[in-house]
Amino acid sequence: MSGTTKVKLLEGALRTLTEQGIAGTSARTVAATAGVNQALVFYYFGSVEELLAAACRYGAEQRVARYRERLDGIGSLGELLAFGREMHEEEKAAGYVAVLGQLLAGAQTHPRLAPATVAGLDLWIVEIERVLTRVLAATPLGEFADAGGLARAVSASFVGIELYEGVDAEGAGTALAALDQLASLLAALDDLGPVAQRAVRHALRRASRP
């Protein structure tokens, strides 16, 4: 029973963040959403901040597990960008990117949320870095690109576009369209023959010299 109650509180916290934002999230509102007594927030987690930290980790674990099989099947940078566009729409509809945005905002004034938010993002970063390392290895970019840094940039952009969309939907759409164009360019790079790919590698080596 205690396990079920804790899960109810974790899911209630995520739903409350989605619907009411960080400012509207309290022991009372989370408990009401979860359908339990608000004293159980403190019994199981000690504080609302600790509940939100646990909910962040829980939510990230659930979402990453949902996509892991699809991520494992990605074979090119173009496929990864196309997947990112599709996942953005799914996560926006589910409200989970908004949750990350709210936690990032809350971490500015609630320091204990920061490590948990970072840990949640790191679960995504690990998966994306794994895919980037695999697909970049087969391209001229493999020996030059920092897969870890790119994975962090992708994750930050994923959250940033969601927040940007709230104030400028057209601008966010333009940003996503630019990613589609980038996918086309990367697909063209993948289609280059071995001689052309060697020429690209040579040019990149020259450009990367101090």
Side-chain angles (χ1 to χ4, degrees):
M1 177 64 70
S2 62
T4 301
T5 301
K6 289 183 74 171
V7 169
K8 283 182 178 179
L9 285 167
L10 293 168
E11 293 180 347
L14 293 171
R15 198 155 64 249
T16 304
L17 280 169
T18 302
E19 295 170 356
Q20 302 188 43
I22 190 74
T25 299
S26 64
R28 181 183 61 78
T29 55
V30 170
T33 302
V36 301
N37 189 299
Q38 75 177 68
L40 294 175
V41 169
F42 304 100
Y43 177 78
Y44 285 111
F45 297 98
S47 69
V48 174
E49 284 187 9
E50 292 300 328
L51 167 58
L52 293 179
C56 178
R57 290 188 292 268
Y58 171 82
E61 288 167 358
Q62 298 294 308
R63 304 312 291 177
V64 168
R66 172 185 173 86
Y67 294 110
R68 185 170 286 121
E69 185 175 348
R70 289 163 66 183
L71 286 165
D72 287 343
I74 290 173
S76 70
L77 290 170
E79 288 178 16
L80 179 59
L81 287 171
F83 167 77
R85 179 80 180 259
E86 179 184 345
M87 186 176 68
H88 174 265
E89 294 301 321
E90 290 182 16
E91 293 297 282
K92 182 177 73 171
Y96 283 98
V97 182
V99 166
L100 275 176
Q102 290 296 323
L103 287 168
L104 285 167
Q108 306 303 311
T109 53
H110 299 80
R112 279 189 288 181
L113 290 181
T117 306
V118 170
L121 285 170
D122 277 348
L123 291 174
W124 286 107
I125 289 167
V126 166
E127 295 296 325
I128 296 169
E129 182 177 356
R130 190 162 54 86
V131 176
L132 284 170
T133 300
R134 184 176 72 247
V135 301
L136 285 171
T139 77
L141 302 176
E143 64 182 278
F144 305 99
D146 175 8
L150 284 173
R152 282 168 172 76
V154 168
S155 299
S157 298
F158 184 65
V159 177
I161 286 176
E162 168 71 15
L163 298 176
Y164 184 33
E165 195 168 37
V167 296
D168 184 0
E170 184 177 350
T174 300
L176 289 170
L179 289 179
D180 288 339
Q181 293 173 349
L182 180 58
S184 299
L185 291 172
L186 292 171
L189 185 61
D190 285 341
D191 290 339
L192 291 176
V195 174
Q197 290 207 6
R198 281 197 297 272
V200 172
R201 286 190 178 93
H202 179 67
L204 288 171
R205 288 191 190 102
R206 292 183 61 185
S208 63
R209 288 174 187 163

